[in-house]
Amino acid sequence: MNNYPLKLLVLFCALVLTSCSSNESEIVDETPTEVATNIAEKSIEADILTLINNYRVSNGFSSLSKLQTIKSQTHNHTNYMIEKEQVSHDFFYQRKEYLTKNASAISVGENVAYGYSSAESVVNAWIRSEGHKKNIEGNFTHFDVTAEKGANGKWYFTNIFVKK
């Protein structure tokens, strides 16, 4: 009896199941969904938002307003980076699409960072970086930020800007 077709079918099923399992966890980790409960703001987050608005106003830009829908996305992405132990913009376009649909965003920008120990140090680093500074000075109306410590005790940051 020739078992080749059966062996091929078993191999194919094993590959498909393994692949789906790996990719499925990534999609679940970063599926852009609203967080069901309000997320308490940490003092470092409030300080970051204040410093960004102070910088904007002192440089002739309008101040930005917080938006809870943004917070859900910064929270999800910061936790994703902590889980991966890597700073990234992974799945940015999913966050952008979510904010376009759920916050009527016309444009979206994002700053991420790792390892800074204070609001001042992370905001100063973003201002010294051309791309991050462009977002801080951008034509946006709303923003929010999440700062979380990883298991290693280092801070991870996600700051998203939206124009409505």
Side-chain angles (χ1 to χ4, degrees):
M1 178 175 190
N2 184 356
N3 288 335
Y4 182 73
L6 181 59
K7 289 179 183 178
L8 192 58
L9 179 62
V10 170
L11 177 63
F12 176 75
C13 289
L15 288 173
V16 169
L17 291 174
T18 303
S19 176
C20 289
S21 175
S22 174
N23 289 340
E24 188 175 78
S25 68
E26 286 183 21
I27 292 169
V28 171
D29 288 341
E30 196 53 21
T31 300
T33 58
E34 189 77 31
V35 175
T37 59
N38 286 340
I39 301 164
E41 183 177 73
K42 296 174 196 67
S43 61
I44 190 170
E45 294 168 341
D47 292 345
I48 289 168
L49 298 178
T50 298
L51 289 167
I52 289 173
N53 266 339
N54 289 347
Y55 173 86
R56 285 179 60 88
V57 169
S58 69
N59 286 281
F61 302 99
S62 62
S63 63
L64 303 175
S65 300
K66 290 180 9 177
L67 186 64
Q68 187 64 35
T69 306
I70 297 171
K71 185 68 167 185
S72 72
Q73 299 305 293
T74 61
H75 178 80
N76 291 348
H77 186 62
T78 301
N79 287 333
Y80 169 82
M81 292 190 302
I82 289 170
E83 180 181 310
K84 296 292 183 183
E85 296 181 346
Q86 185 175 0
V87 176
S88 73
H89 291 284
D90 291 355
F91 306 104
F92 171 75
Y93 290 102
Q94 288 179 352
R95 289 186 293 286
K96 180 179 178 183
E97 182 179 314
Y98 178 88
L99 291 167
T100 299
K101 289 179 182 176
N102 295 284
S104 303
I106 297 168
S107 61
V108 178
E110 176 178 85
N111 289 347
V112 295
Y114 164 78
Y116 295 94
S117 59
S118 70
E120 294 82 7
S121 62
V122 72
V123 172
N124 287 335
W126 282 334
I127 291 169
R128 288 190 305 267
S129 165
E130 185 178 328
H132 295 104
K133 182 178 179 180
K134 183 178 176 184
N135 282 336
I136 290 173
E137 294 179 348
N139 185 18
F140 296 110
T141 56
H142 295 82
F143 69 156
D144 216 324
V145 66
T146 294
E148 290 286 343
K149 280 189 179 180
N152 60 5
K154 303 278 186 176
W155 286 98
Y156 288 78
F157 304 88
T158 304
N159 184 200
I160 295 180
F161 302 87
V162 165
K163 178 179 181 180
K164 289 182 73 159

